[in-house]
């Protein structure tokens, strides 16, 4: 850059004076020409200004043009210097590939881990639910603290009363789920089915990608053809994404249902494995109040908080308890934001902890690379001193060194994005149980922006101290051969080492505590042995197995054949496997022998499951007292049950 251009940039008044001088030069030249032609100087100046026109306007335009030209030139020169610095940095790294490889790999590991955890945390925890105005959505549960029941499913009649009498919700919807056999395909399969109130999709603001959603008449009109909505996965998997799927008939057990539409691929209510949704009227007065089997959710009215909605529903619940004490005495309501319900406080805390941990890992990576750059700047001290002696300013040298750091950061960031993508794909392939919204996880634009920002920030963090250290000291002493190291360099390295050790200790303690927790979890006896246990879900169509006897005969024969397979030690049936999130528990009030009689509404409740002879042996559950079920325990014999140790 020439000195004139530097002066223009540093002194805007100089640019103004240059424009004025240029205009004055042209005016004086024209005045001189007219004087030579016989004009008086006064008349010549007046004529010249008249011919030039509005001098103030021209002066302002010329100043603007000059300013724009200088800015363009300055921008071009800056870009040229940056490209020159980038090329120099790449040549420098090519001469020292070991340094470049270690630095880039170190940064890539830190940036990759941080980006991967950020990607999963963003999709799982921080992104809003994929519904219309998700902050207004809540889940509604029943609870009975006197029976130590913190959360239970509402009964259909209670849901119907809430929906009619509340003043806090735009609307309430309900659903329950189960499994049925899809039999109109080449290979029948058991599919998960959700039965829901027809207002569900309007409440959530979800529209099918094909066909239409349900209307109130779809559940209320007994003469109407049964309808179903199917998932995007089932549509593609079993029907080849047939564009004429709407209006076709599918068979679930003995029922024939008309396909009303196909839901979006990201719709996973109430679970990600649901493939069919069927409308059902949960406001039928014949449904029982003690059958608590619904999931109820609602959209809050404008300005209403979950706490206010709970107060409103508790008033209704108290009226219900007075009218129907046998099923509702002692029961209240709890209202939970849908985002908290889906994600869960434990999951949110876990990801915040992971983000903090990988942030520390990234800081350690930055400190390591800064140490590498400090050592490298010491070996380049003579080179930098020579450049300074030849006229390079300290700011120019620092700029060049920071450019080298930026190149390292960009290369590390690019490799880190690749590592993050691989880590996320590996997580998706593992399909970890209990991690919500897994189908929404993916490396996207926000992840790339995050990685870019992290790369730039880390490049500044690890590059600034070495760059400032490199331009310190006496140029003449360095050229003469004096040592480039000093107390300042040693102090900087000491600070970096202390910071690395401190952060590493924090991570080490955290990892130790986490490992101890995992070992403790692994040592907890769940009460069953899942090793070498195979599971098959069976759903019988009522058309072929109408009577209980035919169903019993089928399962008896199935168990007999299973037990005859070589290597099978035991086989049994159950309505729900242990710890199965998709299982169905039944619950009823009970009164144990020897306990005082209590009103039915005050009786404690317990979950129960159905099991056949051989089930406990198959899953390795030990019977502590008494005996397991045997083939004599049948419907025409003495009723028996097995209770757990807690009960």
């Amino acid at each position: 850059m020439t000195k004139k251009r530097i002066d223009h940039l540093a002194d805007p008044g100089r640019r103004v004076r240059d424009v004025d001088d240029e205009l004055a030069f042209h005016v004086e030249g024209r005045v001189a020409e007219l004087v030579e032609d016989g004009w008086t100087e006064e008349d010549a100046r007046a004529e010249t200004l008249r011919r030039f026109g509005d001098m103030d306007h021209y002066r302002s335009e010329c100043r603007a043009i000059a300013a724009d030209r200088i800015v363009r030139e300055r921008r071009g020169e800056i870009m040229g210097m940056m490209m020159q610095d980038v090329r120099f940095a790449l040549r420098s790294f090519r001469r020292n590939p070991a340094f470049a490889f270690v630095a880039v790999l170190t940064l890539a590991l830190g940036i990759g881990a941080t980006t991967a955890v950020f990607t999963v945390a963003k999709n799982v925890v921080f992104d809003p639910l994929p519904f219309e105005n998700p902050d207004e959505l809540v889940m509604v549960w029943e609870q009975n603290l006197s029976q130590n029941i913190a959360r239970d499913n509402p009964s259909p009649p209670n849901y119907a009363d809430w929906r009619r009498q509340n003043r806090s919700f735009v609307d309430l919807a309900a659903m329950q789920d189960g499994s049925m056999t899809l039999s109109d395909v080449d290979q029948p399969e058991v599919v998960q089915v959700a039965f829901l109130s027809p207002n569900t999709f309007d409440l959530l603001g979800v529209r099918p990608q094909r066909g239409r959603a349900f209307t109130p008449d779809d559940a209320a009109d007994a003469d109407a053809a049964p309808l179903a909505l199917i998932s995007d996965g089932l549509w593609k998997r079993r029907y080849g994404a047939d564009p004429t799927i709407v209006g076709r008939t599918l068979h679930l057990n003995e029922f024939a249902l008309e396909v009303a539409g196909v839901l979006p691929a990201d719709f996973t209510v109430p679970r990600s494995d649901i493939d069919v949704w069927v409308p059902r009227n949960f406001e039928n007065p014949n449904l029982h109040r003690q059958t608590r089997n619904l999931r109820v959710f609602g959209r809050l009215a404008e300005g209403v908080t979950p706490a206010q909605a709970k107060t409103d529903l508790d008033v209704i619940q108290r009226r219900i308890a007075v009218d129907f004490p046998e099923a509702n005495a002692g029961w209240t309501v709890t209202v939970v934001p849908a985002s908290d319900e889906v994600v869960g406080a434990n999951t949110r805390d876990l990801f915040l902890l992971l983000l903090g941990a990988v942030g520390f890992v990234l800081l350690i990576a930055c400190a390591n690379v800064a140490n590498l750059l400090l050592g490298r700047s010491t070996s380049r001290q003579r080179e930098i001193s020579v450049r300074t002696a030849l006229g390079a300013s300290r700011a120019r040298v620092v700029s060049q060194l920071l450019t080298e750091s930026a190149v390292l950061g960009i290369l590390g960031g690019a490799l880190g994005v690749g590592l993050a993508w691989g880590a996320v794909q590996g997580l998706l392939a593992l399909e970890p149980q209990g991690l919500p919204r897994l189908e929404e996880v993916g490396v996207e634009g926000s992840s790339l922006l995050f990685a870019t920002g992290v790369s730039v920030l880390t490049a500044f963090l690890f590059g600034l101290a070495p760059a400032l250290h490199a331009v310190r000291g006496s140029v003449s002493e360095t050229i003469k051969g004096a040592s480039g190291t000093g107390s300042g360099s040693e102090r900087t390295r000491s600070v970096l080492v202390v910071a690395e050790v401190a952060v590493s200790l924090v991570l080490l303690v955290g990892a130790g505590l986490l490992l101890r927790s995992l070992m403790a979890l692994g040592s907890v006896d769940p009460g069953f042995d899942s090793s070498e246990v195979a599971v098959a879900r069976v759903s019988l169509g009522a058309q072929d197995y109408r009577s209980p006897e035919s169903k019993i005969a089928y399962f008896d024969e199935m168990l007999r054949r299973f037990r005859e397979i070589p290597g099978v030690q035991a086989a049994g049936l159950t309505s729900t496997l242990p710890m199965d999130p998709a299982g169905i528990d039944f619950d009823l009030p009970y009164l144990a022998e020897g306990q005082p009689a209590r009103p039915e509404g005050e009786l404690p409740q317990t979950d129960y499951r159905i099991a056949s002879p051989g089930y406990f042996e198959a899953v390795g559950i030990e019977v502590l007292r008494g005996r397991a079920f045997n083939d004599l325990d049948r419907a025409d014999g003495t009723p028996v049950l097995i209770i757990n140790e807690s009960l």
Side-chain angles (χ1 to χ4, degrees), residues 53-171:
D54 189 350
M55 289 294 294
D56 291 336
H57 173 72
Y58 293 140
R59 185 178 292 106
S60 61
E61 281 195 350
C62 290
R63 289 173 180 174
I65 292 172
D68 182 64
R69 184 182 70 248
I70 292 175
V71 169
R72 288 199 309 271
E73 291 176 353
R74 178 58 175 163
R75 187 184 299 124
E77 289 168 353
I78 291 175
M79 291 300 297
M81 286 189 297
M82 288 181 59
M83 293 306 300
Q84 180 183 1
D85 289 345
V86 169
R87 288 192 295 268
F88 181 83
L90 293 176
R91 288 197 304 269
S92 174
F93 297 152
R94 196 181 303 120
R95 289 194 299 268
N96 194 349
F99 162 80
F101 175 79
V102 172
V104 170
L105 183 60
T106 301
L107 289 174
L109 292 174
I111 295 173
T114 308
T115 303
V117 174
F118 167 81
T119 297
V120 179
K122 175 184 176 297
N123 294 143
V124 172
V125 177
F126 302 119
D127 277 356
L129 298 178
F131 307 120
E132 182 180 313
N133 298 326
D135 293 340
E136 299 174 355
L137 296 176
V138 295
M139 296 290 295
V140 184
W141 304 91
E142 291 191 64
Q143 63 180 3
N144 192 323
L145 300 181
S146 63
Q147 299 182 21
N148 294 321
I149 301 175
R151 181 175 296 183
D152 202 351
N153 296 320
S155 66
N158 287 0
Y159 154 73
D161 287 341
W162 296 346
R163 189 172 184 228
R164 285 192 298 267
Q165 300 176 33
N166 86 85
R167 299 179 178 179
S168 302
F169 294 90
V170 174
D171 203 356

Side-chain angles (χ1 to χ4, degrees), residues 4 18 33 37 73 77 84 109 120 150 171 183 207 211 251 272 275 286 293 300 367 492 496 545 581 604 609:
K4 181 178 180 181
D18 285 347
E33 291 178 0
D37 291 339
E73 291 176 353
E77 289 168 353
Q84 180 183 1
L109 292 174
V120 179
D171 203 356
S183 57
R207 299 290 177 266
H251 293 270
S272 60
D275 278 321
N286 297 323
N293 59 1
L300 296 172
T492 304
L496 289 173
Y545 300 92
R609 301 176 179 182

